[in-house]
Amino acid sequence: MSHPEKGDGISVCCNATSSRRCLKKIAFAATLCVASVTLLAIHHTKTSGIMARIHHGLIMCASNTGTQNIAQAATISSIERPSMVRLSLTSGADGQVDVEPGSSSLATVLDTASHSNTLLMLDLHGTDPKKVARQVSKAHMRDRVIFVPADYKDAAAALKADSKVMVAIHVNSKRDAYNAHRMAGRHPYAAYLSPSASPSLFSLVHRDAEAIITDTPSSQVSTADFLANRPVDIMITHQPYQLTTSLAAPLAHAE
């Protein structure tokens, strides 16, 4: 004799079991998707961040001549040299942070830099470092940006704005070097030295700072000789392509 009631119960049980299996499969697929995105982000950080680029060689930073340099920096990258662009920030009348010269918003520039795989050095010039840091974080550029404050007071504010964004601190003496290291604490920082600083000062800050920044030396000094006596990670120049080419020439000749 058949029992319709039992049959219906078995059907409901099977449907419930199938639903649970489907939900588990969906959850597993979602987990794999999230894991894949996370691994991709980690890989991108390891290969595109400032420290990763420093590991592969000297970073040529195009000095502040406008947002068009972001496109120019991609050309430098094409010859296997890390690239960075230095830009100045200003507070717009509407409260947003803009980039000088020109009137491009920082958000727009960050988006362009993110897609072109370009590093940025940002002169804060009195802008609110917390506001700048929020936009940098939103653009997922925290490991690809360096803040350049005007003085120690601004440096302290920049260090507090974000625990991950590197801050450049001007160092002109041994005392400055010790103060910078003490003020930064565990925060990643770069020592910004004048090209006229002694090789011994460069060596001193090299022990503590994550990066050493300087400007191109005077024309009376060979850049190759200058770099041979000083540990430099980022060099700021008006002519990044020409400087990169000139430094590569002796290597090609040696081969």
Side-chain angles (χ1 to χ4, degrees), residues 42-58:
I42 293 174
H43 174 72
H44 185 267
T45 296
K46 288 183 177 180
T47 57
S48 301
I50 292 171
M51 297 310 298
R53 305 281 276 274
I54 286 174
H55 178 73
H56 287 90
L58 178 68

Side-chain angles (χ1 to χ4, degrees), residues 61-197:
C61 179
S63 57
N64 185 11
T65 56
T67 55
Q68 69 274 13
N69 266 339
I70 292 178
Q72 294 173 2
T75 303
I76 303 170
S77 297
S78 68
I79 55 175
E80 298 182 355
R81 271 286 181 178
S83 59
M84 175 179 279
V85 179
R86 183 176 186 177
L87 300 170
S88 295
L89 304 184
T90 183
S91 297
D94 56 358
Q96 76 172 6
V97 180
D98 294 328
V99 174
E100 293 183 323
S103 57
S104 297
S105 68
L106 174 61
T108 300
V109 172
L110 287 170
D111 182 68
T112 302
S114 176
H115 287 87
S116 63
N117 203 29
T118 303
L119 307 177
L120 294 178
M121 187 180 295
L122 302 177
D123 286 285
L124 298 177
H125 287 313
T127 55
D128 184 354
K130 289 184 178 179
K131 183 180 292 186
V132 176
R134 283 195 296 269
Q135 294 195 35
V136 169
S137 179
K138 185 177 180 180
H140 305 290
M141 290 278 289
R142 296 170 76 196
D143 66 323
R144 293 167 57 192
V145 166
I146 297 179
F147 288 163
V148 184
D151 51 35
Y152 268 44
K153 180 180 178 181
D154 289 343
L159 288 167
K160 292 179 180 178
D162 192 296
S163 62
K164 298 297 182 182
V165 178
M166 189 177 291
V167 176
I169 303 176
H170 290 274
V171 174
N172 299 308
S173 65
K174 290 183 178 179
R175 183 177 181 180
D176 286 347
Y178 294 131
N179 287 338
H181 182 61
R182 185 181 68 253
M183 180 170 59
R186 296 183 178 181
H187 194 291
Y189 78 100
Y192 192 160
L193 279 72
S194 165
S196 62

